[in-house]
């Protein structure tokens, strides 16, 4: 696969984005979202209004990943960015996650954030942990047993941090 193009998401991208989001959340392996989430609820949760940003990773005319990014908290915590990214099963391990994460970091820097914090990285998601660490993130702590994995039982959720 060639390097994906990261671009702002458009309304017409939603069907492909929903397909990825639905698959990731129903796998119940990497994202602590309700696997029974409806499409309208997912769209409201994912398609955040500005100043947040929603992007897709596209390979030709096919969406192979998506991310949203935003201030982690309002008010006194608004100087820390956060976000979530999801990659289509067929595109995992091909650099899509790296491209989305790098784009998120660049967005956070351009917008004056002091850091990026991922609030809930599933400890058994070794590919994501390795990727984030390779980009300079550190694990601040692990909430033991905070994620119910379908085959490994209760596993930890990491809080990962990158100073910008």
């Amino acid at each position: 696969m060639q390097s994906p193009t990261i671009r702002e998401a458009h309304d017409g991208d939603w069907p492909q984005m929903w397909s990825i989001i639905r698959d990731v959340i129903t796998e119940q392996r990497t994202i602590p979202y309700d696997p029974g989430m409806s499409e309208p609820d997912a769209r409201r949760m994912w398609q955040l209004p500005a100043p947040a940003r929603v992007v897709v990773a596209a390979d030709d005319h096919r969406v192979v990943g998506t991310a949203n990014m935003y201030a982690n908290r309002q008010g006194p915590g608004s100087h820390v960015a956060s976000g979530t990214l999801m990659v289509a099963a067929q595109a995992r391990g091909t650099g899509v996650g790296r491209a989305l994460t790098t784009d998120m970091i660049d967005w956070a820097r351009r917008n004056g954030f002091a850091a990026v914090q991922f609030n809930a990285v599933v400890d058994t998601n070794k590919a994501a942990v390795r990727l984030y660490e390779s980009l300079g993130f550190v694990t601040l702590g692990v909430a033991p047993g905070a994620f119910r994995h379908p085959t490994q039982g209760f596993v930890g959720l990491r809080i990962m941090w990158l100073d910008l």
Side-chain angles (χ1 to χ4, degrees), residues 62-81:
R62 183 179 56 147
V63 173
V64 294
T66 183
N68 62 13
M69 49 206 83
Y70 44 84
N72 192 43
R73 298 284 180 253
Q74 297 177 358
S78 65
H79 62 290
V80 176

Side-chain angles (χ1 to χ4, degrees), residues 4 35 45 57 104 108 115 119 127 129 143 150 153 157-158:
M45 182 248 345
M104 185 182 299
N119 300 309
V129 171
L157 282 179
R158 292 175 181 235

